[in-house]
Amino acid sequence: MIRVTDPAPDRYVPEIGFFLDRLMLIFAGALLAAVPLNHFSGNTFFVYYNLVIAGMILSIFMLRRSLSILLQIVLLLCAGYAHVIPSMAYSGLIGTGFIMMATLQVLAIVFLRTRTAIILGSSAVAVTAGFAAMVGFGVITYAPPVLARMNSGQEWIIRTISVAAYLLLATTTVQYLRSRMFQAIDRLQVINAELTAMKDHAEHLAYYDELTGLPNRHSFHQHVERRIAAGCGPAALLLLDLRRFRLINSIYGGEHGDQILITIARVLQEHRPAGLYLARMSGDEFAGWFEYEEPQQLFDALLEFRHIGRAALAEVHPHYDLSYCAAYSLFPEHGGDYGQCFMNTGIAMRQAKLHGSSSVLAYTPDMGDHVHAENLLEAELKQAVRDENFTLVYQPKIDIHTRQVLGVEALARWNSPRLGDIPPARFIPALTHSSLIEGFTLQILQQAARDLGKLQGKFGPSITIAVNISPAVALSPEFPQQCCAILQQYRIDPAAIILEITEDILITELETARTAVARFRSLGIRVSLDDFGTGYAGLSYLRNIPFHELKIDRSFVQDIAENPRSLHLFRIICEMAELFGFSVIAEGVETEAQHAALRESSCRIAQGFYYARPENL
């Protein structure tokens, strides 16, 4: 919005001045009309002539708000000269002197500053009035021919008062018009300044990112194309993308996410290698263009880029397990223009995200086929989520000592009409890295709720069903209420549902993860920490977050029968979990030897192919 500030105060005519203007105008008009009445009573022409002039001035002043400033000035000049010319013809040189003095005073008001003009005008009026008074009282005398033309001292006094009043009226009117003009000029200047500032700001936004101050996508595109057109040498186009930023942004809000991006951009800008042109493309994606002469320069720059990327993430917050994916393609080997280079770098970036690589991944030509397959997979997944084409199989959780089925874990399966049978290890990560995971999770939870009655009929009424939940979904503020709605729809006891959440939930701050788990506990839903031991969980998490179960990852179970150290470590984990009040479940039991080793520990529940494979209901 354009804001117009007030002009300088000394250029305004006070409101009380408008009221005095009108009084003075009426008074001056009466005096101007009274002059000929005191002159020659038989000369009626000048009586009516002066009345017309006075009425004209009065009309101009009263209609000033509906007339333009230019028109007001022209009309006032016409009225003034209509009075001056007959006065010169009638009163001779002395009358002309009064008129010229009044004109000089008006010109002073017009061309001088307000305060100076008022002082000068008042002085001129005083001199004129004093001169007239001296003539009127005979202090100054003239020859009889001159006095015959001027008649009497009384007329001198009346004429002087009339001219003084006319002077005050004219100067006030001109001052008013001038103040209005200066006010309009000031307003136009302010508007022009603000429009110029808005234009500059818009031009800045067209080339720079408003949040970080880095060049934006458009500026980066232009820079690269200019360098290529200028015949630059070998170069690399780099992309950097934050991992799990969407999760942190959803937990802490957009302002917190913006602060992370600002910090990262600042660190990258301060420590970037010489010759690296850095830009923010969109969201949490940054880009760089680096020109080099020798391959070693590129290698050193990539190492530096990786180092400053880690430094930037470490500075944001020590508790975040933030990391990044980075990829690059070479010019002109991998593309002869900006579009081809950027597309190939994007292909390499997609590969880096899928593999979770912490290095800067280089583009290779065979990546294109893989990305095409991934794009096709994502398109088919969108259709599958929309049509609810996923099915569930259930793997039992077994009491190690009694072989009784205590619960089941719901596992999703997908047979695509176009791609065939797709294993979970392929489609689950694709869902997790897209916006499809929320709809998929709700579909699986609803299908499991529908099947719970049949499972209880098969395994007993105390059976529980576990559903895997992505941390991004589990931490969503709406998800607990969505769970309640599904449980109420199928009239299910919340204690019959167990949400298995992977250790990724522990990348958040401790208080956030604890609050999320406590929300489910307050609704009567049990929470299990899945894949324990794969990277994030520690004693502080287990001590402070109220999980119900601890599922030990299969990597701890694989060699417990052959390696005593592994068995000893497994026993320590079980004892620690019992100390915190968790139930312990061993995953991936596949042999009799592993089963026998588990019986020697305090672990009571296990699941794996040794007991039962996942089966359709």
Side-chain angles (χ1 to χ4, degrees), residues 336-483:
D337 57 21
Y338 170 82
Q340 191 67 35
C341 285
F342 188 82
M343 183 183 72
N344 291 336
T345 306
I347 291 174
M349 172 62 75
R350 189 177 180 92
Q351 287 292 98
K353 289 181 179 180
L354 291 175
H355 292 88
S357 174
S358 59
S359 61
V360 184
L361 188 64
Y363 168 80
T364 57
D366 60 338
M367 289 180 177
D369 296 336
H370 183 79
V371 169
H372 176 72
E374 292 299 323
N375 290 335
L376 179 60
L377 175 65
E378 184 173 341
E380 290 296 303
L381 280 172
K382 288 181 181 179
Q383 186 66 34
V385 172
R386 189 161 46 244
D387 298 340
E388 300 186 9
N389 286 340
F390 298 95
T391 59
L392 289 182
V393 294
Y394 298 95
Q395 184 175 32
K397 298 178 181 179
I398 306 297
D399 187 312
I400 295 175
H401 302 285
T402 65
R403 298 293 183 103
Q404 179 184 357
V405 177
L406 302 178
V408 295
E409 180 181 359
L411 302 171
R413 297 292 184 262
W414 179 41
N415 188 284
S416 170
R418 184 175 179 182
L419 303 177
D421 191 19
I422 308 297
R426 186 179 176 193
F427 73 80
I428 293 295
L431 286 168
T432 304
H433 291 128
S434 69
S435 59
L436 303 172
I437 188 64
E438 297 178 6
F440 166 79
T441 301
L442 291 176
Q443 287 182 24
I444 296 304
L445 184 60
Q446 191 165 32
Q447 186 172 343
R450 286 197 301 263
D451 293 344
L452 182 59
K454 296 179 181 179
L455 290 168
Q456 290 175 336
K458 182 177 180 179
F459 296 111
S462 61
I463 201 76
T464 61
I465 184 169
V467 179
N468 291 282
I469 304 296
S470 167
V473 177
L475 295 173
S476 171
E478 299 83 12
F479 185 67
Q481 299 305 321
Q482 292 170 336
C483 285

Side-chain angles (χ1 to χ4, degrees), residues 15 43 60 62 73 96 105 129 166 189 210 270 302 312 336 345 378 447 455 466 503 517 549 611:
E15 290 296 329
N43 195 344
I60 294 172
M62 298 303 293
I73 294 174
T96 304
Q105 294 166 359
Y166 180 81
Q189 289 176 343
E210 186 176 16
E270 289 175 355
L302 292 176
T345 306
E378 184 173 341
Q447 186 172 343
L455 290 168
E503 284 187 332
V517 174
E549 292 183 354
Y611 305 108

Side-chain angles (χ1 to χ4, degrees), residues 4 138 171 195 200 202 209 213 261 360 557 564 603 605:
V4 179
T171 54
L195 287 175
D200 294 341
D209 176 56
L261 294 175
V360 184
V557 180
C603 178
I605 307 172

Side-chain angles (χ1 to χ4, degrees), residues 82-126:
H83 183 72
V84 168
I85 293 173
S87 179
M88 290 176 61
Y90 180 75
S91 299
L93 296 177
I94 297 177
T96 304
F98 281 114
I99 298 300
M100 291 301 296
M101 186 175 293
T103 303
L104 290 174
Q105 294 166 359
V106 172
L107 291 176
I109 292 295
V110 173
F111 293 104
L112 297 179
R113 297 181 66 86
T114 304
R115 188 173 302 172
T116 306
I118 290 175
I119 294 173
L120 180 59
S122 301
S123 301
V125 170

Side-chain angles (χ1 to χ4, degrees), residues 560-582:
I560 59 174
E562 297 82 14
N563 190 338
R565 292 174 62 88
S566 297
L567 179 59
H568 183 64
L569 178 60
F570 183 84
R571 288 175 176 173
I572 292 175
I573 294 175
C574 292
E575 292 172 358
M576 177 185 64
E578 290 181 351
L579 180 65
F580 290 123
F582 301 151

